[in-house]
Amino acid sequence: MAAFPGSIAFDEYGRPFIIIKDQEKQRRLTGNDAIKSHILSAKAISKIVRTSLGPKGLDKLLVSQDGDVMVSNDGATIMKQMDVDNEIAKLMVQLSQSQDDEIGDGTTGVVVLAGALLEQADVLLDKGIHPIRIADGYELAARAAIEHLDSIATKFPVDPNNLEPLIKTAMTTLGSKIVNKCHRQMAEIAVKAVLSVADLEKRDVNFELIKVDGKVGGRLEDSMLVKGVVIDKDFSHPQMPKVLKDVKIAILTCPFEPPKPKTKHKLDVTSIDDYRALRKYEEEKFNTMVSQVKEAGATLAICQWGFDDEANHLLLKRELPAVRWVGGPEIELIAIATGGRIVPRFEELNPEKLGRAGLVREISFGTTKDKMLVIEECANSRSVTIFIRGSNQMIIDEAKRSMHDALCVVRNLICDDSIVYGGGAAELSCSIATAKQADKISTIEQYAFRAFSEALESIPFALAENSGLPPMQVVTSVRGRQIQENNPALGVDCMGKGTNDMKEQHVIETLKSKKQQIMLATQLVKMILKIDDVRTPNDMQY
């Protein structure tokens, strides 16, 4: 079978047939036109989040189809919430999400860098350089940049007795967020939370032990770290005591209700005597259940299911405080924190399976009816809860996202204590290094190296621009000083502190985060440069 231009082929008998149906009516781009179209889509996404970069970056207001309003500065959240149809734009969203899942920070920077790399690739395509040569050059340049990052990285001592360096690092992360008015307090909460659950010997942090919860009302400054668990429940009866000390907790996943016969038959109550007998049976069962909990030595019952008013009254009468309708994740957290076992049947309850806590108290919020339970001084104090307050749900949601970033940064420092300096200092240093490397290359990849070097400067450019500084003047000045003084810690003075030395300002980023940004952005750009044809499902008609 021989194929001819125009997607027309001939079978073995010489009869022509069309491979793609209605091709003349379909609009498809191929070759460099397709790649340029992809670059245009990616640049549009990059420009949207570019203004959110840095401590003076702007927030985005996103309105859903239902009219829900969300204000955020977090790159991954902005990208995820955008209604994107274009396939390449969706790849940019996934890029940001990958950075968030792996590192938890640098989600805006990675998108800005990818957009800058594609912008430079557009120029190289106009010069007639093949996309594969550009992609290969970018990959070599990324390796050179990552090697250079290793050479300029310094060690960051993690000392549980000196939390100040870790707090300052978390403050760097929170500087651009909505919580920056109390970012010292938030940074302290993040550091203490991570260190509470960290295993410093194994250099590991179990995020499952950190719960971030929030409640509308109060100020951001009222946020606190609880060495235990906070659950959005109250005691089942208003007359139960509000504060319990030296508590032994029965954690139950069985309901306080009589067992139901597992048959297809039904029970008909035809007389008052039958009703009284049924009521007496229920009362005996309730008494048995409560007695079993009391005999095990429990002073508080936490139940995953509900119980009716009769059982509730009986619990109050027998002086056994109880909490009902506690969700599965909270039940598990309580079990981890108190060292208790989750009990599925009353018969299995014994003193060894009880959880222990020094204090359980019910807190209320002002004049509202909202109440929550705080379980503190637990047997296993590694489980902690960050309890965030705010004037409305939007602020609480953004504070939670900001806290997640700060927690991830502190975790990354514990897992890998290598750091580089922020404020665009690391990017400028890598830009200088890759530009020098380009001079040593004799092949056409040297153009890609220089383009990569210029793209790296987009981060300090955006930082200066978002801080209201003249970007060209500031970046050129800092770049020149880095070369003259051989100081990779010089960056953009976004906060106007009078010095460009990020070491003095204590603006640092984890080495792992910076490497991941460069690596992920380069991989995505390589992928986009190799897509020279796009066929939607509607095009694939044979």
Side-chain angles (χ1 to χ4, degrees):
M1 188 195 308
F4 291 89
S7 297
I8 295 176
F10 295 87
D11 62 13
E12 60 269 29
Y13 300 108
R15 294 177 298 198
F17 64 90
I18 299 173
I19 294 176
I20 300 176
K21 186 179 177 183
D22 298 332
Q23 183 181 356
E24 69 280 358
K25 297 179 184 177
Q26 295 170 5
R27 185 177 173 274
R28 276 179 42 233
L29 294 172
T30 57
N32 278 5
D33 290 338
I35 296 172
K36 281 179 172 291
S37 171
H38 304 334
I39 290 172
L40 198 63
S41 305
K43 277 165 60 180
I45 294 290
S46 178
K47 283 178 181 176
I48 289 171
V49 296
R50 182 185 170 95
T51 52
S52 298
L53 190 68
K56 299 287 183 74
L58 304 176
D59 293 347
K60 304 294 179 191
L61 187 143
L62 302 163
V63 184
S64 71
Q65 291 180 343
D66 299 329
D68 295 331
V69 175
M70 185 184 73
V71 176
S72 182
N73 183 270
D74 182 57
T77 305
I78 294 168
M79 301 284 283
K80 196 193 304 182
Q81 296 297 328
M82 282 195 300
D83 191 8
V84 175
D85 285 333
N86 185 276
E87 287 73 18
I88 301 301
K90 286 177 182 175
L91 287 176
M92 295 289 276
V93 173
Q94 290 173 15
L95 168 71
S96 179
Q97 201 60 48
S98 300
Q99 178 77 11
D100 192 43
D101 293 342
E102 187 73 23
I103 304 294
D105 189 33
T107 51
T108 308
V110 71
V111 176
V112 173
L113 180 58
L117 286 169
L118 286 168
E119 196 170 346
Q120 293 296 327
D122 198 9
V123 177
L124 296 181
L125 286 170
D126 288 339
K127 289 182 178 179
I129 301 175
H130 195 277
I132 294 296
R133 302 300 293 270
I134 299 171
D136 291 344
Y138 274 177
E139 186 173 11
L140 294 171
R143 285 184 199 163
I146 288 170
E147 284 175 14
H148 181 71
L149 281 174
D150 285 325
S151 67
I152 64 171
T154 57
K155 289 295 179 184
F156 184 91
V158 177
D159 183 3
N161 300 318
N162 180 19
L163 301 182
E164 192 60 26
L166 281 172
I167 290 169
K168 285 183 176 177
T169 308
M171 285 170 68
T172 303
T173 308
L174 296 170
S176 62
K177 308 297 182 186
I178 204 169
V179 298
N180 63 353
K181 68 170 184 175
C182 55
H183 68 314
R184 168 85 196 188
Q185 178 193 352
M186 291 291 186
E188 288 177 1
I189 289 173
V191 170
K192 288 175 183 174
V194 172
L195 287 178
S196 297
V197 303
D199 187 337
L200 294 177
E201 290 183 6
K202 294 181 180 177
R203 304 185 77 85
D204 184 43
V205 177
N206 185 0
F207 262 18
E208 296 294 322
L209 297 176
I210 301 176
K211 182 188 175 191
V212 182
D213 207 348
K215 192 79 172 177
V216 174
R219 304 171 303 157
L220 274 171
E221 288 85 347
D222 296 332
S223 302
M224 59 182 176
L225 176 68
V226 178
K227 293 290 183 70
V229 183
V230 177
I231 53 175
D232 194 4
K233 300 291 173 187
D234 55 357
F235 287 113
S236 60
H237 199 289
Q239 293 178 13
M240 287 177 179
K242 306 301 179 193
V243 179
L244 302 172
K245 293 184 178 178
D246 298 323
V247 191
K248 294 178 181 176
I249 305 172
I251 306 167
L252 307 169
T253 55
C254 44
F256 274 99
E257 60 182 31
K260 294 180 174 64
K262 293 181 172 58
T263 67
K264 293 181 181 178
H265 305 290
K266 63 179 181 176
L267 181 66
D268 290 328
V269 178
T270 57
S271 67
I272 192 167
D273 292 333
D274 290 345
Y275 179 76
R276 283 174 181 162
L278 181 62
R279 183 176 174 79
K280 188 178 178 183
Y281 168 76
E282 284 188 355
E283 192 174 340
E284 286 173 1
K285 283 294 179 184
F286 283 141
N287 267 312
T288 305
M289 292 172 186
V290 175
S291 298
Q292 285 171 332
V293 178
K294 292 283 284 185
E295 285 166 10
T299 56
L300 172 65
I302 292 180
C303 188
Q304 187 176 9
W305 305 104
F307 36 85
D308 60 16
D309 292 340
E310 188 175 345
N312 202 14
H313 174 73
L314 188 59
L315 287 165
L316 176 68
K317 189 177 173 183
R318 298 288 296 272
E319 296 181 349
L320 180 62
V323 186
R324 56 185 165 185
W325 296 119
V326 180
E330 284 84 4
I331 284 276
E332 291 178 9
L333 268 175
I334 292 167
I336 293 169
T338 61
R341 297 279 296 276
I342 297 172
V343 181
R345 282 187 288 272
F346 288 99
E347 294 80 7
E348 296 180 14
L349 193 60
N350 58 48
E352 289 76 30
K353 293 183 179 179
L354 298 178
R356 284 165 175 76
L359 180 66
V360 177
R361 57 193 174 95
E362 187 181 276
I363 56 174
S364 56
F365 304 102
T367 57
T368 65
K369 293 181 180 179
D370 287 338
K371 292 180 176 66
M372 295 185 87
L373 275 181
V374 180
I375 304 171
E376 295 178 287
E377 301 172 21
C378 301
N380 179 10
S381 61
R382 284 171 52 112
S383 182
V384 296
T385 301
I386 298 169
F387 186 50
I388 293 172
R389 305 300 309 281
S391 56
N392 57 48
Q393 192 61 44
M394 186 174 63
I395 286 179
I396 287 174
D397 290 341
E398 180 64 5
K400 282 183 180 179
R401 288 187 285 267
S402 305
M403 185 58 70
H404 172 260
D405 285 2
L407 290 170
C408 287
V409 166
V410 179
R411 175 202 62 185
N412 293 341
L413 280 174
I414 289 172
C415 297
D416 182 1
D417 58 358
S418 298
I419 59 160
V420 291
Y421 292 98
E427 285 86 353
L428 275 175
S429 185
C430 288
S431 172
I432 294 165
T434 49
K436 286 180 182 175
Q437 190 74 17
D439 296 335
K440 300 176 184 176
I441 297 172
S442 57
T443 58
I444 203 167
E445 277 77 15
Q446 63 177 293
Y447 288 97
F449 260 78
R450 292 195 180 93
F452 195 93
S453 172
E454 287 187 34
L456 284 169
E457 290 184 5
S458 64
I459 301 290
F461 258 92
L463 289 172
E465 200 174 324
N466 294 344
S467 303
L469 303 171
M472 182 63 76
Q473 183 180 331
V474 169
V475 174
T476 307
S477 170
V478 174
R479 181 188 173 95
R481 283 184 59 193
Q482 273 209 21
I483 295 170
Q484 289 172 4
E485 300 173 25
N486 194 24
N487 182 2
L490 294 174
V492 179
D493 180 19
C494 299
M495 303 303 291
K497 293 189 176 179
T499 175
N500 291 107
D501 195 329
M502 296 297 114
K503 192 173 184 179
E504 285 181 30
Q505 291 198 29
H506 203 90
V507 178
I508 65 177
E509 296 182 60
T510 58
L511 176 64
K512 188 177 178 183
S513 171
K514 194 56 66 182
K515 278 184 174 180
Q516 190 79 3
Q517 282 186 44
I518 292 174
M519 194 163 59
L520 285 176
T522 307
Q523 285 175 351
L524 180 78
V525 169
K526 274 185 63 183
M527 186 191 302
I528 291 173
L529 288 174
K530 290 182 178 180
I531 302 172
D532 74 336
D533 194 355
V534 179
R535 296 189 185 189
T536 63
N538 292 334
D539 295 333
M540 297 179 188
Q541 298 174 357
Y542 293 94

